[in-house]
Amino acid sequence: MTFRLSTPIEILHALGVRLREQRLAQSLTQRELAQMAGLSLGALRKLESDGQCSLETLVRVVQALGLLDELDDLFVLKRQSIAQMAQVDLVSRRQRAPRKKTS
């Protein structure tokens, strides 16, 4: 499934399903994975059923399943041209957003 045309709810649901499939592929029960991740059983069930969870919960489950490598390319800036590379370099040096002028 590609997420390009999906709604946020559809994306969350698909991620929950994918994590459930990973858990089952590793022959883990929900209770076992919840314990491994340091989560309540309810939090894991909610994640798997509709994708609803905190970012920390997601990371804990991904870590417990041994899937941290899957996050390596998440939100990495893709450089495609010299101009884009220069812009990324400029942005990476900037520490704060510019101040708004007050009238």
Side-chain angles (χ1 to χ4, degrees), residues 29-87:
T29 66
Q30 285 182 325
R31 185 173 308 281
E32 289 169 333
L33 180 55
Q35 288 175 344
M36 289 169 57
L39 301 170
S40 69
L41 182 56
L44 182 62
R45 285 182 176 159
K46 185 82 172 147
L47 170 59
E48 286 188 357
S49 68
D50 60 16
Q52 296 290 319
C53 69
S54 70
L55 188 54
E56 181 180 355
T57 296
L58 177 66
V59 170
R60 285 175 177 256
V61 170
V62 169
Q63 188 173 32
L65 288 170
L67 300 172
L68 283 177
D69 289 345
E70 301 296 323
L71 300 179
D72 283 343
D73 292 331
L74 193 62
F75 308 122
V76 173
L77 291 174
K78 294 179 174 103
R79 300 173 185 168
Q80 298 174 351
S81 70
I82 293 174
Q84 287 174 326
M85 290 171 62
Q87 181 66 26

